[in-house]
Amino acid sequence: MAARVDYYFSLISPYAYFGHAAFLDAVREAGAEVAYRPSRIFDLFAANGGLPLGQRAPARQRYRLIELQRWRAKRGLPLNLAPKYFPLDPGLADRCAIALVAAGADPAAYMDAAFRALWVHDADIAAPAVLAELLTRHGFDAAPVLAAADAAETVAAYQRNTEAAIAADLPGLPGYVLDGEPFWGQDRVEDLREALISGRAPFRIGQDDRA
């Protein structure tokens, strides 16, 4: 039976963008399945001790800009350090991914396009017209996807994903959960890959109090 990784993300996160392709490569190599779990990142921050960017100490805000440049170079991905439409409300964009999964579609290409729209092309992914263009470009019928993204069951799924991310003890996004073991941050993709390939037992709190 193939392993399954719960993939928690929000399309507003530059680190989720950096990790997206690397994560997908890792799970494909391992033959694992992906459960896409778009989540409300600001609710996760509030529950698990994180702060929105504008509320962080100035030193942390400055250090973030160094980290973004470092990972931009390491991943070989383009990224605008100060995109025109950041911050924004990622809810509709995130829920489109939920709607695609519910319809039996793979949201990975749409997600990559949405990440790049915000972080490379200075597009407003909170705007339905922008999302419609992204969906259409990747072969989806945009109108029903956008309608489904606003449906009550999709909004409820978004909230359930968020509650699951909080329960998994993820301090932020992206987060990957394998057999109950959380991996927080795109810089943990290689650790996740090793866990998948080795098939080792998951690490858990309390399993070795001497550690």
Side-chain angles (χ1 to χ4, degrees):
M1 182 175 177
R4 189 187 80 170
V5 181
D6 290 306
Y7 178 16
Y8 295 95
F9 64 90
S10 174
L11 293 168
I12 197 176
S13 168
Y15 294 108
Y17 162 50
F18 282 148
H20 183 61
F23 165 71
L24 293 177
D25 286 345
V27 294
R28 289 188 190 110
E29 181 183 358
E33 299 176 354
V34 178
Y36 292 91
R37 307 287 191 208
S39 305
R40 296 172 59 90
I41 190 168
F42 299 114
D43 288 2
L44 181 60
F45 284 164
N48 286 352
L51 289 174
L53 179 61
Q55 297 177 30
R56 297 174 195 169
R60 292 181 65 89
Q61 295 189 43
R62 292 190 296 269
Y63 186 78
R64 169 184 172 274
L65 295 175
I66 298 298
E67 277 285 277
L68 290 176
Q69 293 175 75
R70 186 177 290 140
W71 281 102
R72 179 174 64 183
K74 186 168 185 175
R75 296 291 190 201
L77 293 171
L79 178 126
N80 181 351
L81 293 175
K84 182 177 180 180
Y85 293 102
F86 179 86
L88 50 69
D89 180 355
L92 181 60
D94 287 348
R95 294 195 308 273
C96 281
I98 297 174
L100 289 172
V101 171
D106 184 344
Y110 157 75
M111 290 167 57
D112 182 71
F115 283 132
R116 290 172 183 269
L118 173 59
W119 289 103
V120 181
H121 303 302
D122 278 341
D124 181 3
I125 63 168
V130 170
L131 296 175
E133 191 277 328
L134 296 177
L135 290 162
T136 300
R137 188 195 314 163
H138 288 88
F140 300 114
D141 188 350
V145 174
L146 287 165
D150 276 335
E153 57 267 30
T154 307
V155 173
Y158 197 30
Q159 182 61 32
R160 288 195 301 272
N161 290 345
T162 306
E163 291 167 358
I166 293 168
D169 287 339
L170 292 171
L173 301 175
Y176 321 98
V177 178
L178 172 64
D179 292 333
E181 180 181 344
F183 298 77
W184 172 40
Q186 62 90 25
D187 54 342
R188 292 293 175 261
V189 167
E190 183 59 28
D191 293 334
L192 171 64
R193 175 189 170 278
E194 291 174 358
L196 285 166
I197 297 297
S198 70
R200 65 161 174 79
F203 296 127
R204 303 198 187 281
I205 298 296
Q207 70 178 14
D208 184 355
D209 292 336
R210 296 166 297 175

